[in-house]
Amino acid sequence: MSNKIKLGVVGYGNLGKGAVKAIKATEDLELVAVFTRRDPEALELDDPDAKAVHIDNAGNYQNDIDVMLLCGGSATDLPEQTPYFASMFNTVDSYDTHAKIPEFYQMVNEVATKHHTTAIISTGWDPGLFSLNRVMADAILPNGENYSFWGKGLSQGHSDAVRRVNGVKNGVQYTIPSEEAIEQVRSGANPELTKSGKHRRVCYVVAEKDADKAAIENEIKTMPNYFADYDTEVNFISEEELERDHSKAPHGGFVIRSGNTGEANKQIYEFSLTLDSNPEFTSSVLVAYARAAHRMSQENQFGAKTVYDVAPAYISPRSAEALRRDYL
Amino acid sequence: MSNKIKLGVVGYGNLGKGAVKAIKATEDLELVAVFTRRDPEALELDDPDAKAVHIDNAGNYQNDIDVMLLCGGSATDLPEQTPYFASMFNTVDSYDTHAKIPEFYQMVNEVATKHHTTAIISTGWDPGLFSLNRVMADAILPNGENYSFWGKGLSQGHSDAVRRVNGVKNGVQYTIPSEEAIEQVRSGANPELTKSGKHRRVCYVVAEKDADKAAIENEIKTMPNYFADYDTEVNFISEEELERDHSKAPHGGFVIRSGNTGEANKQIYEFSLTLDSNPEFTSSVLVAYARAAHRMSQENQFGAKTVYDVAPAYISPRSAEALRRDYL
Ligand SMILES: NC(=O)c1ccc[n+]([C@@H]2O[C@H](COP(=O)([O-])OP(=O)(O)OC[C@H]3O[C@@H](n4cnc5c(N)ncnc54)[C@H](OP(=O)(O)O)[C@@H]3O)[C@@H](O)[C@H]2O)c1
Ligand SMILES: NC(=O)c1ccc[n+]([C@@H]2O[C@H](COP(=O)([O-])OP(=O)(O)OC[C@H]3O[C@@H](n4cnc5c(N)ncnc54)[C@H](OP(=O)(O)O)[C@@H]3O)[C@@H](O)[C@H]2O)c1
């Protein structure tokens, strides 16, 4: 029997696929099974060693799995799946509906406390690493201001909105942080910025044959909520170009805090990610936090936890001695 | 009686002065006294409310102080002061002799474990926040490489070396990361870089009257260990220019991890600091970690700790609810 920490993956979408790959890249973790609501036979797992199991049979794996990585969607999957799985397993999820996190936390905390499991919620990069840096920067530099910028990144919601426009065959939308706004923040000027002042939107659109491109561009640029308040650029490209240049899911962004200490010394704290693949990075974070869920549950630290509750040593595969010797 | 966490500051050098200012910038912490080996009467404290006490009387304050911030030098002060104070108080220090951290940890851990105190060692930015990011990035992206760059920053040791050169009246040295090396790393190329390949050195020198400037420049540029292996620039300036343009202690740098996930997706993780004042920022980190030392000791988490052992929530003045609601 191996000493590895045994993991299950729930849901085989973008994050689930990323999680299977991320587990393979480690030496201390192993995948027991992928659980899905679909027919497990029909699921084409990239990894020949991986096994797919119907989600209804997950309960049989309580003795075989240390931590379940919950890779379902935040809108409707996780509000059901996290409490359900936290009643039987330690869990890690990436619940990202920021406004509903307090109630999600409370619901999961009740279940996990009652069933003596450790449920780390809302990990990933935002929420997750960005949240961590917002709090650390605020704690260290009380006289200052936090700024979060997102992008360059593919936005699923805005791409969907573009594709719903009349005459659009296909398309994607990138959110791009304004270089000017970033420079202002980095200079320590502490500007007041609105969300639309911080970001531009760039669309790549494949038009239907004979569609009115001017009308499409106008409809996109004036779309309320999505584009009207932003500096928006619309580019028309061919289906081949879309396939060739825009089929990845890059993302990233910055958290910057600009603060003052003493009389007027400017101190700039900055954290940034530049990701070729948003879901592969997010699931790599989930996989690292699985170590923490396992270790904290072994120390009887039960209940719902967030990145704020996890000492960094818990997510590392290395020993405390090695960390002090080689990384401090 | 106030609910604030009560702090003492040991040593009134650059970090000690920064700590006094940083405590004043918080709402939940208060300064009880500054302890010094010098005549406390002769110490000119910037803050009219602050009190200076001789270090020999520190033992009398065990009931009045929750955490001692140890602001002595790493070379000779902290190896004595940290174990001495950890036998009576919770402590935070910024011990930065990287190679000796394991033995320093062990020595402090024994004392703190025996006396039921919490001693957070080697905080600040490097060691400290940089160390934290090296470990988190490594845990999340196992297939990758860490790079640390320092600067632009004033280096005390190299400035001293410049000032020892014959014919030099005064001078400073800045370490500057190579833009080219940073670009290579950010591109995800994972280059092999030596320390001298990553940094340049720029000196501002005030020469003695009638000194041979060519000889000074040559002696600096060929100085073994300090400059010979580096791309070094020497600029001669006046005493007034030195005073006007080079009397602050800026510093900073980057930790970058470039890693791959899945087949070949590049993921760049980057943390950076741009500091007008190195000691004021460092002491702001110490002050934030004082909250953690106090809280962890209240939870009986005794012994020596590093940034790896401290859950981020412990350093924040905010409640767990507020962090989840406003920062996650
Ligand atoms: N915190 C962060 O930084 C961060 C970053 C990115 C994403 N997220 C969160 O992660 C969540 C999941 O993202 P995702 O991109 O993995 O979502 P997704 O691909 O839509 O997958 C969600 C679920 O849908 C099901 N599914 C996937 N492909 C399917 C298909 N072809 N047919 C039918 N069902 C399918 C899967 O469940 P079954 O296998 O059970 O069918 C899967 O678990 C998002 O909702 C977001 O909230 C967080
Ligand atoms: N981890 C990090 O990121 C980081 C960053 C920066 C520095 N550091 C560490 O912090 C340590 C302290 O740095 P620092 O710049 O504060 O050192 P410093 O100014 O030289 O002060 C060190 C000690 O020297 C004494 N002192 C200061 N000024 C004096 C004076 N005019 N005359 C006589 N004694 C004086 C003080 O003790 P008394 O009051 O008892 O005399 C003080 O505690 C460094 O050794 C370094 O290791 C760490």
Side-chain angles (χ1 to χ4, degrees):
Chain A
M1 226 190 70
S2 93
N3 278 329
K4 295 187 178 187
I5 301 175
K6 291 170 196 61
L7 305 181
V9 167
V10 178
Y12 197 64
N14 298 311
L15 250 53
K17 287 176 191 164
V20 170
K21 292 177 196 165
I23 295 167
K24 256 212 136 47
T26 68
E27 293 182 352
D28 59 328
L29 308 176
E30 81 186 3
L31 175 66
V32 174
V34 173
F35 299 90
T36 180
R37 291 165 295 191
R38 286 168 281 168
D39 174 8
E41 302 288 323
L43 220 58
E44 290 183 17
L45 298 186
D46 291 340
D47 180 349
D49 304 340
K51 163 167 99 168
V53 174
H54 195 272
I55 202 168
D56 289 347
N57 299 323
N60 302 333
Y61 286 78
Q62 285 193 63
N63 293 327
D64 306 311
I65 287 179
D66 298 311
V67 184
M68 282 288 195
L69 298 174
L70 307 183
C71 298
S74 293
T76 54
D77 297 343
L78 295 177
E80 281 191 12
Q81 293 180 342
T82 302
Y84 175 72
F85 281 95
S87 75
M88 299 183 282
F89 297 93
N90 301 314
T91 63
V92 179
D93 72 46
S94 71
Y95 183 74
D96 74 352
T97 311
H98 292 262
K100 294 191 178 165
I101 286 176
E103 54 184 283
F104 186 78
Y105 169 85
Q106 202 178 332
M107 170 177 75
V108 177
N109 190 45
E110 274 172 29
V111 175
T113 305
K114 180 167 163 204
H115 293 92
H116 285 198
T117 60
T118 305
I120 303 181
I121 65 165
S122 299
T123 61
W125 61 277
D126 196 356
L129 302 183
F130 273 27
S131 326
L132 192 66
N133 280 285
R134 284 189 284 260
V135 163
M136 294 198 60
D138 168 76
I140 293 164
L141 296 171
N143 292 330
E145 208 63 64
N146 278 356
Y147 296 88
S148 300
F149 290 89
W150 295 275
K152 181 189 171 180
L154 190 90
S155 156
Q156 215 47 70
H158 285 78
S159 297
D160 289 344
V162 165
R163 288 189 288 258
R164 283 193 299 265
V165 167
N166 239 324
V168 170
K169 196 173 166 199
N170 208 340
V172 295
Q173 192 265 188
Y174 296 97
T175 306
I176 300 186
S178 148
E179 274 303 323
E180 206 184 310
I182 292 185
E183 282 320 309
Q184 266 186 292
V185 170
R186 283 197 186 133
S187 77
N190 281 1
E192 286 224 17
L193 297 171
T194 58
K195 214 180 165 204
S196 60
K198 289 193 319 196
H199 298 94
R200 304 188 289 123
R201 301 199 172 279
V202 177
C203 309
Y204 293 89
V205 175
V206 181
E208 304 278 6
K209 209 161 160 275
D210 304 324
D212 178 348
K213 291 185 178 171
I216 291 176
E217 178 162 348
N218 184 58
E219 189 173 339
I220 293 175
K221 287 188 170 175
T222 58
M223 197 185 294
N225 303 321
Y226 285 87
F227 294 101
D229 298 337
Y230 290 82
D231 173 5
T232 301
E233 183 185 311
V234 176
N235 304 287
F236 289 93
I237 59 175
S238 68
E239 188 82 54
E240 294 71 44
E241 286 170 313
L242 186 83
E243 170 73 22
R244 186 190 67 204
D245 302 333
H246 304 284
S247 58
K248 282 199 176 187
H251 220 310
F254 305 78
V255 169
I256 308 181
R257 188 173 182 90
S258 146
N260 279 300
T261 61
E263 277 72 53
N265 285 313
K266 277 181 198 150
Q267 316 276 23
I268 311 289
Y269 174 118
E270 183 169 337
F271 178 77
S272 74
L273 294 170
T274 311
L275 309 174
D276 267 4
S277 165
N278 174 2
E280 284 186 7
F281 185 81
T282 302
S283 51
S284 297
V285 177
L286 260 67
V287 166
Y289 275 88
R291 297 186 181 102
H294 177 60
R295 292 169 183 164
M296 291 171 81
S297 94
Q298 290 198 311
E299 295 177 4
N300 299 334
Q301 297 190 48
F302 302 131
K305 309 287 173 193
T306 72
V307 287
Y308 304 132
D309 305 309
V310 177
Y314 284 122
I315 76 166
S316 174
R318 302 180 196 281
S319 71
E321 295 72 36
L323 294 183
R324 286 191 295 267
R325 187 186 63 227
D326 303 330
Y327 288 81
L328 203 62
Chain B
M1 227 188 72
S2 93
N3 279 328
K4 296 186 177 187
I5 301 176
K6 291 170 197 59
L7 306 181
V9 168
V10 177
Y12 197 63
N14 298 312
L15 249 53
K17 287 176 191 161
V20 170
K21 292 177 197 164
I23 294 165
K24 256 210 136 48
T26 68
E27 291 180 353
D28 60 327
L29 307 175
E30 80 187 4
L31 175 67
V32 174
V34 173
F35 299 91
T36 180
R37 291 164 297 190
R38 287 169 281 167
D39 174 6
E41 302 288 321
L43 220 60
E44 289 183 17
L45 297 186
D46 290 340
D47 181 347
D49 304 338
K51 163 166 100 167
V53 174
H54 194 272
I55 202 169
D56 289 347
N57 300 323
N60 302 333
Y61 286 78
Q62 284 192 64
N63 292 327
D64 307 312
I65 287 179
D66 297 311
V67 184
M68 282 288 196
L69 299 174
L70 307 183
C71 298
S74 292
T76 55
D77 297 343
L78 295 177
E80 280 192 13
Q81 293 180 343
T82 301
Y84 175 70
F85 281 94
S87 75
M88 299 183 282
F89 297 93
N90 301 313
T91 63
V92 179
D93 72 46
S94 72
Y95 184 74
D96 75 351
T97 311
H98 292 261
K100 294 191 176 166
I101 286 176
E103 53 184 283
F104 185 79
Y105 170 85
Q106 202 177 332
M107 171 176 77
V108 177
N109 191 44
E110 273 171 31
V111 175
T113 305
K114 182 168 162 202
H115 292 92
H116 285 197
T117 61
T118 305
I120 304 181
I121 65 165
S122 299
T123 61
W125 60 277
D126 195 359
L129 302 183
F130 273 27
S131 325
L132 192 67
N133 280 284
R134 285 189 283 261
V135 163
M136 295 198 59
D138 168 77
I140 293 164
L141 295 170
N143 293 330
E145 207 63 64
N146 277 355
Y147 296 88
S148 300
F149 291 90
W150 295 275
K152 178 191 174 176
L154 189 90
S155 155
Q156 215 48 70
H158 285 77
S159 297
D160 289 344
V162 165
R163 288 189 288 258
R164 283 192 299 265
V165 168
N166 240 321
V168 169
K169 195 173 165 200
N170 208 340
V172 295
Q173 191 266 188
Y174 296 97
T175 306
I176 300 185
S178 149
E179 273 304 321
E180 205 184 311
I182 292 184
E183 280 321 309
Q184 266 187 289
V185 170
R186 282 197 188 136
S187 77
N190 280 2
E192 285 223 18
L193 296 172
T194 58
K195 211 180 168 203
S196 60
K198 288 195 317 197
H199 298 94
R200 304 188 291 122
R201 300 197 173 281
V202 177
C203 310
Y204 293 90
V205 176
V206 181
E208 304 275 8
K209 208 162 161 277
D210 304 325
D212 179 347
K213 291 185 178 172
I216 292 176
E217 178 162 349
N218 184 56
E219 189 173 338
I220 293 175
K221 288 187 168 175
T222 58
M223 195 185 295
N225 302 321
Y226 285 88
F227 294 101
D229 298 338
Y230 290 81
D231 174 5
T232 301
E233 184 184 310
V234 177
N235 304 287
F236 290 95
I237 60 173
S238 68
E239 188 83 55
E240 295 70 44
E241 286 170 313
L242 187 81
E243 170 73 22
R244 187 192 65 205
D245 301 334
H246 303 286
S247 59
K248 281 200 176 185
H251 220 310
F254 305 77
V255 169
I256 307 181
R257 187 172 183 90
S258 144
N260 279 300
T261 60
E263 277 73 53
N265 285 314
K266 277 181 198 150
Q267 316 275 23
I268 311 289
Y269 174 116
E270 183 168 337
F271 178 76
S272 74
L273 295 170
T274 311
L275 309 175
D276 267 3
S277 166
N278 173 2
E280 283 186 6
F281 185 81
T282 303
S283 51
S284 297
V285 176
L286 260 67
V287 166
Y289 275 88
R291 297 186 181 102
H294 177 61
R295 292 170 183 162
M296 291 171 81
S297 94
Q298 290 197 312
E299 295 177 3
N300 300 335
Q301 298 192 47
F302 303 131
K305 309 287 171 192
T306 71
V307 289
Y308 304 132
D309 305 310
V310 177
Y314 284 122
I315 76 166
S316 174
R318 302 180 197 281
S319 72
E321 294 72 36
L323 293 183
R324 287 191 295 267
R325 186 188 61 226
D326 303 330
Y327 289 81
L328 204 62

